[in-house]
Every structure is written in structure tokens, then in C-alpha cells.
Amino acid sequence: MKRYTKNWLEEVLATLFMEAGASREVSETTSSILIEGDLLGHHTHGVKLANGYLRDLKSGHACGDHNAMTSKEISSVAALVDGHYILGPYLVQKALERSADAARESGIGIVTIKRSHHIACLASYLQPFVERGLMPIIMTSDPAVKSVAPYGGVSPVYTPNPIAMGIPSRVQPVMMDVSMSTVTNGSVGKAHAEKTKMAHPVILTNTGLASDDPADFFSDPQGSILPLGGQEFGHKGFAMGLMVEALTSALGGFGRKDAPTGWGASVTVMVIDPTLFSGQSAFLDETDHLIEACLSSTPVNPQYPVRMPGQAGLSRRDKYLEQGIPLPDDVVTELQKAIDDSSLKGRY
């Protein structure tokens, strides 16, 4: 993989987005969040997404004007935002900032976003809020996509519906980003493009058989991705997936019933300030104790001790900031094509 500096990627991506019609504010925020995905090692949800965002901006499906966003202030701690398909990273970042301000005053803030464009890697948003001693929570679904079947069925109905959350600690922060399906749409698409098998039988064929072949997902009729828990315990992932649907599309009042088309997202973010509950010290005493107990648990394999959610990503982030951010060859190729079609041609 070729390596790039964070500053170089920020300059290039922001320029590309602005030339595609996005405001500087939307462009810079979106660029930062995409790059953060690669810093954490989530290459399917990092700079790789830029080409799709640019395509949607140029076609008019995505909006780059931050002034197009409208909101309904429900109370001092809650709001409903209509994103009008503004690039999702901008909408989510603004929703988190608004929720964080409310949390500082009232202990909690919540914002629901309808008609957002794609929001990239959920884990990319967490660290700045965790470093401020806050607990950010993000949930999302895409009402235009059907890729996960309900437990016991074979017809896909909803999306992987991830939940991300950051937990402050003096020992080390916990940053989780977990789909309510066994794997993500992106990982299945990547394996299919590379003509490789999945590591486990996480696909359900259109006849109800578990498979490790991504081609079985792209069949006709379409296969599906198994809910989190797989064939044995998928009822749990199914239930959690429904929870995310209710807290995103249903709460925002726009979802699958409206049959939207194109890349989009329904999103709900929350931010909690522990200081107004148990107090910062009491909260951190408890999270520190729990994390230390987990890390000191006797490992199944001594060569692989317990690690906390987000630990590997934060370690990669530090290394990539120092050594450069590696990008897969296909991402580099698409980025170069975008550069060659812009005013940046010949400069990079």
C-alpha cells in the first residue's frame, strides 16, 4: 500500500469536494472524517468512499450546501434534522456537537437526522468527544438498502444497522463500532470484487443455506447477510437491528415506507456527560476498574491477551500519523482518477 500524510489527503479531498459543488465547511469536515476511517484501519469506509460522494454531488443526489440543513428544536436537549442529503459526515459532526453542548448543560443531548447522505465510518467521530470526557453514541440505517434478512427469513429487509459508542477511561478509552449483522455490506462487496471467500459462513443464500461465498449475496433472487449471532443466535442481532430501525428511521419519520432511492442514511446521535450523573471521578473509577479487570483476564491464548474495543484502531492511528496512512491500490487508483479530472491534475 502507498502511504500518504493526513495533511496531503485533507488538502486533496477538500479541493475535490469543493470543485464538485460542496461548501468549504462541508468539504473539510467530510474529508477529515473519511481520512479518520483510514487512520483507524477501516479502509472500506475511509477515502474509498470519496469517489461515490463526488459522483453523487455531481449528479445532484448528494448536497454540498450546509445551509440546506433544516432542524426542528424539540427541546433544549433534543432536535430533529432534515439533512436534505447533505454529505453525512458534516451532518453527523454537527449533530454530535449540538448534542455535546446540550449534554454539558443537561446531562444528555440527542439529535435525529432524516434524509442524510452516507455517513462513513461511525468510529471516526468518537475520539474527540471521548477525550472531552463525554460518551458519544451513533446509530444508523439506510432505508434505501435491503441486505439483512430477519431471523428465520431469507428475503433481505434492512441494513447492518451499526451502533458506535465511546467510553472515557483513565486507563484507555473504549471505542466500539459494531454492526447488528455478522459483517458489513462493504466487506461483502470487497470480497466479491476481489473474488475471495468470506472468513466464515456469514451469507444466507436465497434458499436459506449459510455460505462463505459473497456471490451468494449478489444472486437473483438476492441472498442476505446473516444477523449478528448467525444461524444459531441471530434472533439477538435481529432484535437489535429492529431497535436501530426504530431509533433512526422511525424516530425521524422517514424510512423504508417512503421507498427512497440512492445512497442515504437515517441517523440518531446521543451524547451523555457523566459529570452530571455520578460525577466524573466516580464514573472513571468504575470504567477504569472494569477495563483493568478485562485486560487482566487470563487469555485463552497467552500470545493474544484481551484487548479492548478500539484498542487496535487507536494503535494503528498513532502509527499511521507517524509513518503515513496506507491506502489500498484500488483506492489510490480511484483517487488519482478524481485528481486527473480536477484542477489538481499535474500537481499530484
Side-chain angles (χ1 to χ4, degrees), residues 243-304:
M243 181 192 78
V244 174
E245 290 282 327
L247 287 172
T248 54
S249 289
L251 201 60
F254 180 85
R256 301 184 187 283
K257 72 181 188 307
D258 301 289
T261 59
W263 221 0
S266 299
V267 190
T268 290
V269 308
M270 287 182 277
V271 177
I272 299 170
D273 185 356
T275 304
L276 278 69
F277 289 83
S278 62
Q280 185 181 51
S281 293
F283 177 86
L284 293 175
D285 288 346
E286 182 61 28
T287 59
D288 291 351
H289 178 84
L290 180 60
I291 291 168
E292 287 173 341
C294 291
L295 293 174
S296 62
S297 176
T298 303
V300 174
N301 184 335
Q303 293 185 338
Y304 300 99

Side-chain angles (χ1 to χ4, degrees), residues 75-331:
S75 70
S76 61
V77 300
L80 170 63
V81 168
D82 189 335
H84 295 284
Y85 292 103
I86 297 171
L87 293 181
Y90 175 81
L91 293 172
V92 174
Q93 184 64 30
K94 287 300 177 184
L96 284 166
E97 290 171 0
R98 193 256 188 227
S99 298
D101 290 342
R104 288 299 194 200
E105 292 292 325
S106 304
I108 189 169
I110 177 171
V111 175
T112 293
I113 309 168
K114 64 179 180 180
R115 283 188 280 263
S116 169
H117 194 261
H118 189 268
I119 71 170
C121 174
L122 273 62
S124 298
Y125 301 90
L126 302 177
Q127 188 176 8
F129 296 93
V130 174
E131 288 177 344
R132 290 158 57 186
L134 301 169
M135 282 197 293
I137 302 169
I138 309 169
M139 291 171 279
T140 186
S141 61
D142 184 348
V145 175
K146 300 175 182 179
S147 55
V148 181
Y151 185 71
V154 296
S155 303
V157 173
Y158 60 99
T159 35
N161 294 2
I163 301 174
M165 181 177 183
I167 304 173
S169 165
R170 302 184 190 95
V171 179
Q172 65 178 62
V174 173
M175 300 203 309
M176 64 186 77
D177 181 351
V178 183
S179 292
M180 299 303 102
S181 58
T182 49
V183 292
T184 65
N185 293 335
S187 61
V188 175
K190 181 174 183 289
H192 188 247
E194 295 175 350
K195 294 181 169 52
T196 58
K197 297 292 181 69
M198 307 300 295
H200 304 281
V202 294
I203 305 297
L204 193 68
T205 69
N206 56 29
T207 58
L209 300 176
S211 170
D212 63 357
D213 188 349
D216 286 324
F217 175 79
F218 294 96
S219 60
D220 185 16
Q222 182 186 325
S224 63
I225 300 172
L226 283 166
L228 187 65
Q231 287 187 307
E232 294 81 7
F233 302 105
H235 59 286
K236 298 182 179 183
F238 173 38
M240 294 295 288
L242 292 178
M243 181 192 78
V244 174
E245 290 282 327
L247 287 172
T248 54
S249 289
L251 201 60
F254 180 85
R256 301 184 187 283
K257 72 181 188 307
D258 301 289
T261 59
W263 221 0
S266 299
V267 190
T268 290
V269 308
M270 287 182 277
V271 177
I272 299 170
D273 185 356
T275 304
L276 278 69
F277 289 83
S278 62
Q280 185 181 51
S281 293
F283 177 86
L284 293 175
D285 288 346
E286 182 61 28
T287 59
D288 291 351
H289 178 84
L290 180 60
I291 291 168
E292 287 173 341
C294 291
L295 293 174
S296 62
S297 176
T298 303
V300 174
N301 184 335
Q303 293 185 338
Y304 300 99
V306 173
R307 68 184 187 193
M308 302 306 295
Q311 182 177 338
L314 291 173
S315 177
R316 278 191 292 266
R317 187 180 192 279
D318 291 340
K319 182 173 71 174
Y320 293 167
L321 284 173
E322 180 181 344
Q323 300 177 1
I325 304 169
L327 295 181
D329 291 343
D330 64 319
V331 177

